[in-house]
Amino acid sequence: MHHTKFETKSNRVKGLSFHNTRPWILASLHNGVIQLWDYRIKCLVQKYEEHIGPVRGINFHGTQPLFVSGGDDNRIKVWNYKKHRCLFTLQGHLDYIRTVQFHPGEQPWILSSSDDQTIRIWNWQSRTCVGVLTGHNHYVMCASFHPREDIVVSASLDQTVRVWDISGLRKKTVAPKAFAETEAQRLQSDLFGGTDALVKFVLEGHDRGVNWAAFHPTAPFIVSAADDRQVKLWRMSDTKAWELDTFRGHFNNVSCALFHPKYEVVISNSEDKTIRIWDQNKRIGLQTIRRDIDRFWILAAHPTQNLLAAGHDSGLVMFKLSSERPGFTTTPTQLVYTANSVLRLYDFTVSRDVPLLHLKKNVLAGPIISQPSSISYSPADASVVVCYKIDGGYYELYTIPRDGRNIEGVEAKRMSNVLGAVFIGRKRLLTLDKASRQLVVRDLTNVEVKRINAVSPTVDQLFPGPMAGTVLLRAEDKVILYDVEQRKCLAELTINGVRAVVWSQPKNTHVAFLTKDMVVITTRNLEQTCAAHEIIRIKSGAWDENGVFLYSTLSHLKYLLPNGDNGIVRTLDIPLYVTSIRGNKVICLDRECKNRVVAVNPTEYLFKLALVQHRYSDVMSMIQSANLLGQAIIGYLQSKGFPEIALQFVHDDATRFTLALECGNIDVALESAKALNNKESWLKLAAAALRQGNHQVVEMAYQRTKDFSRLAFLYLITGNTEKLSKMLAIAKKRNDVEGEFHTALYLGDLQDRLTVIADVANMPNFARTVAQIHGLHNTVEELDSKYPSSSTVPKYTPPSAPTLLLPPMPVMRSFDSNWPLLTVSKGWQDALHAAEESSKFTPEATTAAPADQPEGGWADSAVPEELAEAPEIKEEVAQTVAPVASEGDGWVIEGLEDIPDVQPTTTTAATPSGKFYSPPTPGISAREFWLRNSTLAIDHAASSSFGSAMKLLTEQVGVVNFAPLQQNFVFAAIGSHCVVPGIGSLYGMTTPLHRNTTELNPTHGGGSASTGLPALCVSGGVAPLAERLKLAYNSFTKGAFSEALGQFQSLLTSILVAVVNSKQDVDELKELIEICREYIIGITLEVKRKEIAQAKGDAARQIELAAYFTHCNIQLFHLTLVLRSAMNCAYQLKNFGTAMSFAKRLLELNPKPDVATMAQKIIRLAEQNSTNASKLNYDERNPFSLCCISFTPIYRNTPSVSCPFCRASYLPKNLTSDTTSTCTICGLSSPTMQSVTGLQVSKSR
């Protein structure tokens, strides 16, 4: 059984080459393009397009970043894939170049074969031809070096295979001077071949041209493939070569054949569209891999891994002959696994590995090692069942010898046509019958005890359940938790392609489901808690003792936390399969079935787990003892709302400053701002300090930035008139007219303002008016004498009772101390405070004044000289939370001494210090409970968590366009609460509404509010959707297609936010999705057809669109309308044969008499003339789906992609790789997102 690992779609592939170490493969195409693919992450790395015409030969260098190509343009090009360009071109061949190859050893040679009947050897360092091998008298189709010896094998259409000795060329390379050639000798060797390479053997036996020949990697064998449809095996010695055997079975020309690097098999491919696997020793066929429409042209084998690749007419396919995943199962202390057909047991506690018994070898598998698909172990019964997928599926039941002896003679109880088997209790084995899909309970003698009817016709695998008597059943798109004793389904989880199930031992409280590229973690009741997607294959996983799931991919070991956070633990050099985790050691199996112990550093994920579980003392302990550094940890803490903790890691001043502002730590921010000493930092610090009322830090920041206007306003609001007066003097010294005027205005100093207006600003008339307004008659007279008024200035009449305008003064002058703040219990921050006592940033260190603080705030060197006369500010910067000062006389209240003491009737919570009020810690909101209790997207939207709602829909059905859902989300969030009006100016009280009120009612045995679910105003179940479907049907019947289209698309949007409770309702929603999809496709086809008809466009396209509409799965009455329209369209456009076909289908539906009469007339006319004026891309007898971009048929066995939500089909070539492109039918999901879990519309489904 082969395993396809990677497949591409492209032009015909003529050449392939694996890279020795990187996960890369080169493919040369018939259109002249060379593609470099990364098969691990399945993406195209680079394209090279300098060849003209097909490129038939391609090969990677073994150690250098080079590859060589040869094509039909007679050129050999050497490329550097790091520089992404061609380095140079070798010319000399006179016809098409078939193959090129670097020397596998240390020689700087390139071997090429060509249709000019020659083989050439080139020195790619000197860029010259060093040898020409002549002797073939037809096209040389292939030539390759021996892996170790100085020989070359070639195949030609002259029906021969030749082996060449090139040892003379090596000698010539080692001592070039001794073998120097003249120009005449070089010309003769180019024309007739030289003596450096001699023919050693000529192998004749094929009846037609030979297309390929290859050496065995270790043994003296040669395999050849020819147009006589045969594959021949040859053996050679030092003196002769002879034919061993012939493999027959291909039905067309055999294009390529090679030896497998690990197994003793031969692989060949042919133009008969098959790849065949042959047993090298028994000379029989083992497997056949077929394609429907593509011929195979080339094969390539990875030099070190079990990977094969084949090129065909429409791309390449990469596959393995067998799975390399070792079969194993674990208990809390033991590992049971297979290695080299031996069942072994590894004890995790003592690291001891012992053999248990020898397994029976599968004879039909031949030399290919077939690993078990699953193993189930019952320690109490000392029994093990080993399952295989080959030969239609079978299992072998073994009883392990108690004394450990005679392990080779253990008899196996075998059962065929079985898809799986697991132990479900003592002496009870549950198997899955392949034919009937029934569950069969057997005893340890393999005798049937009872049989259970099929739970689902698509069940194809069994996995162990959380307790005895339960089992997990894998169906087509879900996993079912089934109770064997009660014969009922306990829970279901929608998930596709589960490959492995890992329970959190020993209590089995959680389970991890592993698919090809996704990990899903659920509770034991299959309620999903989190999921993680990967772009490369997931191999295995295990739980550690802290409840963290570790899993391995092809190149990494990763972790997944219960809240969905994941990350990389370490990189892996080779693929490993995790079996157990013991502290900082991960025990794994490699592909050689050997146990390996990998050391890891669990600090990162344990740190994050402690944050998730609110174990803040452990968090601080890790900060102090572990080396947790890096932007990743800092960014994680910021994103999770823990900037205070991130502050403990950082030493960079800029990052520390940002984090300190985010968490409100003004002291640390001040220290960092002084180190940065830039204007931007000081302004940010001033804004943050002002919000906390720490105006002394604000004052320092404004001083450092020389922001005099803000500084003056700060003195105004704090009531510091003394410093405000100094600011007026500074403004005068700086000749700052605007600043002087504003400061005088703040102080209410009218004389200074008049001086500025009259003298400095030179506006005496304005100064005179200001003086008149304030009733300063003496000043008006002085101004009149000093500045005679102009006759053009209008005379101002002052008010009858002028008063002096003064700015309002602060009620409380607080410039001596910062504004007091309310001390509030910070919850988890209290734990941090306790740990901070021994940390670097202690409260004493951050509270104390910096050492470089001058005696006066104005004496700092950064402050301008004009501030030297200003009064000093305090030497130390006050703390963010100012200490409470003792009460002054103004707060003494008399007359309360005689009030008697009254004992309190209730107990009140003491405040932390006896001085400050500490409000109680808020409880968990109903929104938070709703998020915890449900994985439905609409419940998250009702909780106002729109981000998680969108993430759920993306993971479930690949939704990328959320605009149509905006109204539903907003209405759900609003409708899940009611507001009780408050009194006066108070806000109303918001109360959550639950839809499971009966379950929450204690009088009915209900639980607490922690199990509540939000009431939904946007989801009324299936009934409202059915009513809306009737309206859409009516619009369709009336021919209001635009209206019907909107109604059907609105229905699809509503299904995303629907919530139902029964399995029947779930099935009805699935059916509704299909109905909407079919009608939307049909309406789109009809609209496009009418547009073409109005424009008098392509007649054939009109008929095609009408014909496709008739294959939509719609109501019979509506199908009558569609067939009638298609019949008329085809008849009017002279496609009488097509019209007759539509008419016959229409009569089968028993239409109205007038419609039936018209159909019969068309049939009679078409029988006389059944010609079609237009050729259509339409075959009514061949079932097809429709590509919803090009609106062309997708027939069976044609690759297609479907929308993860509405299941609309698409041709892959019509899709882009952009994951944000939406489905043309539903307008919600992206067809490129295929790794989805399925829509969840019920808590249990």
Side-chain angles (χ1 to χ4, degrees):
M1 177 181 293
H2 74 285
H3 299 261
T4 302
K5 308 305 266 183
F6 174 56
E7 195 163 359
T8 68
K9 297 297 179 183
S10 64
N11 207 299
R12 180 184 302 170
V13 175
K14 301 296 291 184
L16 292 170
S17 178
F18 281 99
H19 196 280
N20 283 357
T21 55
R22 298 190 179 187
W24 288 352
I25 185 170
L26 279 169
S28 59
L29 308 185
H30 196 265
N31 62 357
V33 176
I34 300 172
Q35 295 179 336
L36 176 60
W37 291 89
D38 188 320
Y39 54 80
R40 184 173 58 186
I41 60 176
K42 302 178 183 178
C43 74
L44 181 65
V45 178
Q46 188 71 32
K47 287 200 304 185
Y48 306 89
E49 300 178 314
E50 290 190 16
H51 277 286
I52 302 174
V55 182
R56 303 178 186 273
I58 198 79
N59 188 241
F60 269 118
H61 194 280
T63 57
Q64 299 297 321
L66 305 174
F67 68 88
V68 61
S69 63
D72 286 4
D73 54 3
N74 308 344
R75 288 174 170 80
I76 299 172
K77 292 181 178 290
V78 178
W79 311 74
N80 187 309
Y81 56 74
K82 287 187 176 179
K83 297 180 179 180
H84 309 291
R85 64 182 180 88
C86 176
L87 298 180
F88 55 88
T89 301
L90 302 174
Q91 299 186 38
H93 281 296
L94 306 177
D95 208 338
Y96 297 168
I97 297 171
R98 294 286 178 171
T99 61
V100 288
Q101 182 192 9
F102 280 108
H103 192 276
E106 72 282 357
Q107 296 296 329
W109 291 344
I110 294 174
L111 180 68
S112 62
S113 62
S114 171
D115 285 1
D116 63 5
Q117 305 179 15
T118 65
I119 304 164
R120 288 178 179 262
I121 301 177
W122 312 78
N123 187 316
W124 59 266
Q125 292 180 343
S126 62
R127 306 182 185 181
T128 58
C129 178
V130 296
V132 181
L133 284 63
T134 59
H136 284 294
N137 54 27
H138 209 305
Y139 300 163
V140 183
M141 303 297 290
C142 164
S144 63
F145 287 111
H146 193 278
R148 298 177 311 280
E149 301 178 14
D150 292 331
I151 55 177
V152 169
V153 64
S154 62
S156 171
L157 293 187
D158 62 7
Q159 303 180 14
T160 65
V161 175
R162 294 178 180 245
V163 179
W164 308 78
D165 185 348
I166 57 170
S167 57
L169 187 61
R170 176 186 288 271
K171 295 176 183 178
K172 179 179 177 180
T173 306
V174 173
K177 292 184 178 180
F179 298 91
E181 288 184 332
T182 64
E183 182 66 21
Q185 290 174 330
R186 187 189 64 78
L187 182 61
Q188 180 181 359
S189 63
D190 281 348
L191 294 176
F192 307 106
T195 58
D196 302 327
L198 303 175
V199 177
K200 190 173 184 180
F201 307 118
V202 178
L203 308 179
E204 298 178 335
H206 285 288
D207 298 331
R208 291 190 178 181
V210 186
N211 294 317
W212 201 266
F215 287 113
H216 193 283
T218 56
F221 295 120
I222 296 174
V223 65
S224 61
D227 287 345
D228 58 5
R229 308 177 183 179
Q230 297 178 359
V231 178
K232 290 185 178 291
L233 182 64
W234 313 80
R235 185 182 179 95
M236 63 179 182
S237 65
D238 293 337
T239 57
K240 64 177 181 177
W242 64 97
E243 180 182 340
L244 281 181
D245 209 337
T246 301
F247 303 117
R248 296 179 175 87
H250 283 292
F251 299 102
N252 207 333
N253 301 339
V254 185
S255 307
C256 186
L258 49 79
F259 293 98
H260 195 281
K262 288 192 173 184
Y263 304 139
E264 294 184 353
V265 297
V266 173
I267 304 99
S268 62
N269 66 1
S270 166
E271 295 180 37
D272 64 4
K273 308 169 188 176
T274 65
I275 300 174
R276 296 179 183 265
I277 317 299
W278 313 87
D279 190 321
Q280 180 182 328
N281 298 322
K282 296 182 179 180
R283 323 285 165 75
I284 59 173
L286 298 175
Q287 297 181 32
T288 301
I289 305 171
R290 303 179 186 275
R291 290 188 76 88
D292 294 328
I293 57 175
D294 297 320
R295 297 168 294 174
F296 287 102
W297 299 101
I298 188 67
L299 280 171
H302 197 285
T304 58
Q305 299 180 22
N306 179 24
L307 284 175
L308 297 169
H312 52 77
D313 283 334
S314 57
L316 70 91
V317 58
M318 188 181 303
F319 60 96
K320 293 181 179 180
L321 296 186
S322 64
S323 173
E324 294 179 290
R325 185 184 190 276
F328 67 90
T329 185
T330 61
T331 67
T333 59
Q334 295 175 329
L335 165 69
V336 178
Y337 68 102
T338 61
N340 299 324
S341 298
V342 177
L343 188 71
R344 307 185 69 87
L345 184 142
Y346 182 83
D347 193 322
F348 296 130
T349 57
V350 295
S351 301
R352 184 180 63 180
D353 193 348
V354 295
L356 296 180
L357 53 89
H358 283 261
L359 302 174
K360 303 297 181 182
K361 188 174 181 181
N362 186 352
V363 179
L364 296 179
I368 300 175
I369 299 175
S370 179
Q371 295 286 1
S373 60
S374 65
I375 297 176
S376 184
Y377 174 53
S378 176
D381 301 321
S383 299
V384 64
V385 59
V386 185
C387 302
Y388 298 88
K389 288 185 178 180
I390 59 176
D391 299 342
Y394 69 93
Y395 72 82
E396 294 174 345
L397 177 62
Y398 295 90
T399 301
I400 302 172
R402 296 283 185 179
D403 54 1
R405 300 177 181 178
N406 193 25
I407 62 175
E408 298 182 3
V410 179
E411 291 294 329
K413 303 175 183 67
R414 175 169 172 154
M415 180 63 66
S416 301
N417 295 320
V418 176
L419 295 177
V422 294
F423 286 103
I424 57 172
R426 293 204 61 178
K427 299 182 179 180
R428 290 194 302 167
L429 177 68
L430 183 69
T431 64
L432 177 61
D433 185 74
K434 183 178 181 180
S436 63
R437 302 301 168 105
Q438 293 180 331
L439 300 177
V440 182
V441 180
R442 300 178 181 273
D443 59 18
L444 294 186
T445 61
N446 210 25
V447 175
E448 181 177 329
V449 176
K450 63 179 178 180
R451 186 175 288 262
I452 303 171
N453 291 331
V455 179
S456 171
T458 59
V459 172
D460 59 359
Q461 184 60 280
L462 303 179
F463 298 106
M467 63 187 74
T470 60
V471 66
L472 289 172
L473 309 177
R474 183 185 71 184
E476 182 180 9
D477 59 349
K478 61 186 175 181
V479 172
I480 303 169
L481 177 59
Y482 188 77
D483 192 315
V484 179
E485 296 297 329
Q486 302 180 30
R487 299 194 179 189
K488 71 174 184 179
C489 298
L490 302 179
E492 288 184 6
L493 174 68
T494 302
I495 183 172
N496 291 318
V498 174
R499 297 189 171 191
V501 171
V502 185
W503 288 96
S504 58
Q505 298 172 348
K507 295 183 179 181
N508 294 346
T509 57
H510 288 79
V511 60
F513 294 95
L514 306 184
T515 68
K516 181 174 68 175
D517 54 5
M518 185 169 63
V519 180
V520 178
I521 293 181
T522 71
T523 64
R524 64 187 302 163
N525 296 323
L526 302 191
E527 295 177 354
Q528 182 175 333
T529 60
C530 62
H533 293 264
E534 296 292 338
I535 59 174
I536 57 179
R537 292 178 182 266
I538 297 171
K539 293 301 179 183
S540 65
W543 295 87
D544 82 338
E545 57 189 5
N546 300 291
V548 179
F549 187 71
L550 269 66
Y551 61 97
S552 62
T553 64
L554 278 171
S555 56
H556 292 97
L557 183 65
K558 297 189 172 184
Y559 65 84
L560 178 60
L561 298 182
N563 66 338
D565 292 336
N566 63 339
I568 298 175
V569 179
R570 61 166 293 166
T571 57
L572 300 176
D573 298 329
I574 59 174
L576 295 177
Y577 300 84
V578 181
T579 57
S580 180
I581 300 152
R582 304 281 165 168
N584 62 347
K585 295 181 179 179
V586 178
I587 303 172
C588 310
L589 280 174
D590 60 15
R591 286 180 169 172
E592 303 297 328
C593 298
K594 296 179 181 178
N595 282 289
R596 292 172 175 258
V597 179
V598 179
V600 298
N601 184 2
T603 307
E604 178 181 337
Y605 67 79
L606 290 181
F607 175 80
K608 294 181 179 180
L609 181 65
L611 278 178
V612 172
Q613 297 177 346
H614 307 293
R615 294 185 282 109
Y616 302 111
S617 58
D618 294 342
V619 170
M620 296 309 301
S621 175
M622 292 182 191
I623 291 175
Q624 296 169 4
S625 60
N627 185 22
L628 283 172
L629 295 175
Q631 292 298 325
I633 288 289
I634 297 169
Y636 177 83
L637 290 170
Q638 282 185 281
S639 64
K640 295 301 179 181
F642 299 104
E644 296 88 348
I645 301 178
L647 194 60
Q648 311 297 323
F649 292 95
V650 185
H651 300 288
D652 177 66
D653 291 319
T655 309
R656 281 178 58 79
F657 178 76
T658 303
L659 290 173
L661 291 185
E662 187 174 345
C663 63
N665 194 331
I666 299 299
D667 302 319
V668 178
L670 175 61
E671 180 182 346
S672 302
K674 293 178 67 176
L676 295 172
N677 198 23
N678 57 61
K679 183 175 182 179
E680 182 181 3
S681 299
W682 284 115
L683 290 178
K684 288 182 179 179
L685 175 63
L690 191 59
R691 282 193 294 269
Q692 294 192 14
N694 196 335
H695 58 81
Q696 294 178 344
V697 173
V698 178
E699 180 183 4
M700 174 181 290
Y702 289 160
Q703 291 174 18
R704 295 293 183 98
T705 57
K706 305 178 186 178
D707 197 336
F708 300 109
S709 60
R710 286 189 173 130
L711 191 60
F713 189 75
L714 177 68
Y715 291 148
L716 170 67
I717 62 176
T718 56
N720 197 341
T721 55
E722 184 179 357
K723 288 188 178 180
L724 199 57
S725 301
K726 292 296 183 180
M727 290 298 298
L728 180 60
I730 293 170
K732 291 179 180 180
K733 292 184 63 176
R734 297 176 60 247
N735 294 324
D736 183 3
V737 178
E738 184 178 355
E740 184 180 351
F741 180 81
H742 284 166
T743 308
L745 183 64
Y746 294 157
L747 287 169
D749 191 338
L750 183 58
Q751 291 297 333
D752 281 326
R753 272 190 287 161
L754 293 175
T755 302
V756 172
I757 294 171
D759 299 340
V760 181
N762 195 21
M763 292 186 291
N765 295 327
F766 180 47
R768 185 181 298 108
T769 303
V770 172
Q772 289 176 351
I773 291 174
H774 291 84
L776 302 180
H777 303 291
N778 296 332
T779 306
V780 173
E781 293 175 357
E782 292 177 3
L783 291 172
D784 287 340
S785 61
K786 186 174 182 180
Y787 303 100
S789 61
S790 173
S791 59
T792 59
V793 178
K795 186 172 181 61
Y796 173 76
T797 304
S800 58
T803 58
L804 182 62
L805 296 178
L806 293 175
M809 300 305 294
V811 176
M812 182 176 64
R813 299 174 183 267
S814 57
F815 57 86
D816 290 334
S817 61
N818 292 324
W819 296 333
L821 300 180
L822 180 65
T823 300
V824 180
S825 176
K826 295 183 180 180
W828 63 267
Q829 296 180 4
D830 293 337
L832 289 180
H833 179 75
E836 283 176 354
E837 297 297 334
S838 57
S839 64
K840 178 178 179 180
F841 304 107
T842 60
E844 291 79 11
T846 57
T847 302
D852 59 346
Q853 177 69 28
E855 294 182 357
W858 303 100
D860 191 87
S861 58
V863 180
E865 296 179 357
E866 52 265 29
L867 300 181
E869 296 181 359
E872 299 177 352
I873 66 171
K874 289 191 175 183
E875 181 176 338
E876 298 180 352
V877 178
Q879 299 183 26
T880 302
V881 180
V884 177
S886 60
E887 295 87 348
D889 295 337
W891 293 103
V892 176
I893 301 176
E894 300 178 354
L896 301 180
E897 293 82 0
D898 298 332
I899 297 178
D901 294 335
V902 179
Q903 296 298 328
T905 57
T906 58
T907 304
T908 58
T911 58
S913 62
K915 297 181 180 180
F916 305 117
Y917 166 69
S918 179
T921 303
I924 301 176
S925 66
R927 298 178 191 268
E928 183 65 27
F929 282 129
W930 295 343
L931 293 175
R932 296 181 183 179
N933 297 337
S934 176
T935 55
L936 302 183
I938 190 61
D939 285 344
H940 284 240
S943 307
S944 299
S945 180
F946 297 153
S948 62
M950 292 189 289
K951 181 179 179 182
L952 284 172
L953 288 178
T954 302
E955 293 176 351
Q956 292 174 4
V957 287
V959 177
V960 295
N961 180 24
F962 294 96
L965 292 165
Q966 179 180 0
Q967 184 176 1
N968 290 311
F969 279 14
V970 173
F971 284 0
I974 296 174
S976 61
H977 290 76
C978 69
V979 178
V980 179
I983 14 182
S985 60
L986 297 179
Y987 291 106
M989 182 174 66
T990 304
T991 304
L993 301 177
H994 294 85
R995 68 172 181 266
N996 56 340
T997 53
T998 304
E999 299 175 9
L1000 302 180
N1001 192 345
T1003 61
H1004 293 82
S1008 64
S1010 61
T1011 60
L1013 294 171
L1016 300 175
C1017 64
V1018 295
S1019 175
V1022 177
L1025 298 178
E1027 294 298 323
R1028 291 168 58 186
L1029 180 62
K1030 293 178 182 178
L1031 296 176
Y1033 280 161
N1034 292 335
S1035 300
F1036 185 88
T1037 305
K1038 293 185 296 183
F1041 292 127
S1042 59
E1043 180 182 346
L1045 182 64
Q1047 290 170 335
F1048 282 114
Q1049 289 179 336
S1050 176
L1051 274 172
L1052 285 177
T1053 304
S1054 299
I1055 292 173
L1056 286 176
V1057 297
V1059 177
V1060 296
N1061 297 319
S1062 66
K1063 179 67 166 62
Q1064 180 181 356
D1065 290 344
V1066 174
D1067 294 337
E1068 290 181 1
L1069 286 181
K1070 291 181 180 179
E1071 183 180 357
L1072 185 57
I1073 293 175
E1074 295 178 1
I1075 292 173
C1076 294
R1077 178 192 69 227
E1078 295 299 313
Y1079 273 90
I1080 293 173
I1081 292 175
I1083 293 172
T1084 307
L1085 290 170
E1086 183 65 11
V1087 171
K1088 286 183 175 293
R1089 185 189 70 80
K1090 290 187 175 182
E1091 291 175 354
I1092 298 175
Q1094 290 177 358
K1096 297 182 180 180
D1098 187 2
R1101 186 58 176 164
Q1102 294 182 48
I1103 304 172
E1104 287 175 356
L1105 295 176
Y1108 300 154
F1109 196 179
T1110 65
H1111 288 266
C1112 292
N1113 187 13
I1114 58 179
Q1115 297 290 316
L1116 293 181
F1117 175 72
H1118 294 156
L1119 184 59
T1120 302
L1121 300 176
V1122 173
L1123 284 169
R1124 180 180 176 182
S1125 174
M1127 178 184 68
N1128 294 336
C1129 177
Y1131 181 78
Q1132 293 173 4
L1133 296 175
K1134 311 301 183 184
N1135 267 47
F1136 301 117
T1138 308
M1140 180 174 63
S1141 173
F1142 294 147
K1144 290 180 179 179
R1145 291 175 58 192
L1146 182 58
L1147 290 175
E1148 292 175 357
L1149 300 179
N1150 296 322
K1152 295 179 179 180
D1154 57 337
V1155 178
T1157 302
M1158 179 63 67
Q1160 291 168 354
K1161 287 182 180 180
I1162 290 179
I1163 291 175
R1164 286 194 297 268
L1165 291 173
E1167 286 176 348
Q1168 299 175 5
N1169 180 18
S1170 60
T1171 60
N1172 289 323
S1174 302
K1175 185 178 180 181
L1176 306 180
N1177 180 18
Y1178 170 62
D1179 184 1
E1180 65 175 340
R1181 297 180 181 84
N1182 191 359
F1184 64 87
S1185 57
L1186 206 62
C1187 175
C1188 294
I1189 292 180
S1190 61
F1191 291 103
T1192 54
I1194 305 176
Y1195 296 104
R1196 286 182 178 176
N1197 301 321
T1198 302
S1200 64
V1201 176
S1202 59
C1203 171
F1205 174 42
C1206 69
R1207 313 310 297 174
S1209 300
Y1210 296 90
L1211 288 170
K1213 66 180 181 180
N1214 293 332
L1215 292 174
T1216 63
S1217 58
D1218 185 10
T1219 57
T1220 61
S1221 59
T1222 57
C1223 170
T1224 58
I1225 301 306
C1226 65
L1228 297 166
S1229 299
S1230 173
T1232 59
M1233 299 184 66
Q1234 295 297 310
S1235 298
V1236 295
T1237 60
L1239 180 62
Q1240 189 169 358
V1241 294
S1242 173
K1243 188 175 179 183
S1244 59
R1245 294 175 177 85

